[in-house]
């Protein structure tokens, strides 16, 4: 896929194409020539570590103009997250980041929290199905609590086994997320205490329109 083929593209969408690593390397060669690229959709392609590395390398020269990046269901793991974080540190215009289903884990969450601290324009962040656990979620919440990503409007942390500890950490950061409108913490093994903390914190957020708590033990509150 030569770079000239994509030179004109402001948005590139290759979803569910099973690129794997080799296809990602060929695509990356084309991305280097996309002088107008702002939006890249590469979900459900099984990029894994090598594919993620290739894509991030191809985007290096375009990071300042990138607005949307979808690498969902890529299986990048911790090593792939390292490659992504190196790219994110220069993505000053990024508003949408979709990373569901990537096995990031708590170690990857620690790195991602540091990288996202510089993404001040981010409005939509999806991190569902990433095995973040209470530690990973708490690290992300701590980053939000100090005022980073203050433009965030939607946050999806579903299916991450955060438990009450993670839910409490999220609740404590909600007061700093003044632009947040939608929060998804569904299917996270949250018990009544954690659900209650989220509900109480949400009541104090004037802009918050929807909190999804499906699949948790919310209890009577």
């Amino acid at each position: 896929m030569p770079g000239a083929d994509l030179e004109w593209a402001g948005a590139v969408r290759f979803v569910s194409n099973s690129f794997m690593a080799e296809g990602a390397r060929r695509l990356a060669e084309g991305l280097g020539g996309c002088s107008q690229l702002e939006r890249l959709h590469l979900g459900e392609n099984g990029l894994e570590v090598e594919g993620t590395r290739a894509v991030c390398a191809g985007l290096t020269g375009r990071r300042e103009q990138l607005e949307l990046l979808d690498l969902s269901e890529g299986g990048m793991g911790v090593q792939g997250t390292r490659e992504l974080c190196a790219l994110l540190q220069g993505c000053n215009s990024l508003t949408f980041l979709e990373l569901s289903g990537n096995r990031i884990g708590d170690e990857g969450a620690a790195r991602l929290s540091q990288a996202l601290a510089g993404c001040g324009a981010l409005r939509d962040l999806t991190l569902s199905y990433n095995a973040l656990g209470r530690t990973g979620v708490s690290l992300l919440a701590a980053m939000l609590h100090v005022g980073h990503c203050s433009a965030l409007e939607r946050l999806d942390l579903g299916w991450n086994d955060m438990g009450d500890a993670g839910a409490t950490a999220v609740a404590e950061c909600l007061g700093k997320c003044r632009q947040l409108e939608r929060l998804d913490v569904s299917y996270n093994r949250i018990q009544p205490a954690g659900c209650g903390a989220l509900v109480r914190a949400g009541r104090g957020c004037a802009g918050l329109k929807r909190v999804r708590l499906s699949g948790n033990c919310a209890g009577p509150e």
Side-chain angles (χ1 to χ4, degrees):
M1 183 181 296
D5 290 347
L6 294 174
E7 183 177 358
W8 51 270
V12 174
R13 184 178 182 90
F14 287 109
V15 177
S16 299
N17 281 282
S18 301
F19 276 145
M20 308 298 284
E22 180 58 31
R25 282 193 287 270
R26 294 184 180 182
L27 175 64
E29 295 174 1
L31 294 177
C34 292
S35 59
Q36 307 298 318
L37 185 64
E38 296 178 346
R39 300 177 299 281
L40 178 62
H41 302 262
L42 290 179
E44 301 177 35
N45 276 301
L47 300 178
E48 298 190 342
V49 178
E50 293 303 319
T52 302
R53 178 179 293 120
V55 169
C56 289
L59 289 173
T60 299
R62 306 287 173 245
R63 68 175 79 189
E64 293 184 0
Q65 66 197 53
L66 194 64
E67 297 178 0
L68 181 152
L69 181 60
D70 178 359
L71 297 178
S72 58
E73 305 297 331
M76 67 175 68
V78 176
Q79 291 184 331
T81 305
R82 292 174 184 168
E83 304 295 332
L84 173 64
C85 288
L87 173 72
L88 290 178
Q89 290 176 4
C91 292
N92 302 320
S93 299
L94 191 68
T95 61
F96 182 102
L97 182 60
E98 161 62 278
L99 295 176
S100 60
N102 271 294
R103 305 194 307 269
I104 290 173
D106 56 0
E107 183 180 344
R111 295 179 179 275
L112 190 61
S113 297
Q114 295 177 358
L116 290 176
C119 297
L122 193 65
R123 297 200 304 264
D124 194 307
L125 175 61
T126 298
L127 292 171
S128 54
Y129 295 96
N130 268 302
L132 300 180
R134 64 180 184 180
T135 300
V137 169
S138 295
L139 289 168
L140 288 161
M143 179 269 295
L144 295 173
H145 191 270
V146 296
H148 296 305
C149 296
S150 59
L152 201 63
E153 297 175 359
R154 178 183 174 275
L155 176 61
D156 186 348
L157 294 171
W159 296 87
N160 274 301
D161 197 21
M162 69 172 70
D164 279 357
T168 300
V170 172
E172 291 174 350
C173 81
L174 288 182
K176 299 291 185 178
C177 301
R178 297 177 181 174
Q179 303 302 316
L180 193 66
E181 298 179 359
R182 296 179 181 271
L183 173 66
D184 189 339
V185 291
S186 56
Y187 296 93
N188 266 297
R189 300 179 186 270
I190 304 173
Q191 301 302 309
C195 290
L198 285 166
V199 171
R200 289 189 296 272
R203 287 172 181 159
C205 299
L208 193 59
K209 299 176 180 177
R210 178 179 179 184
V211 178
R212 187 177 182 192
L213 287 163
S214 304
N216 294 296
C217 300
E221 183 169 350

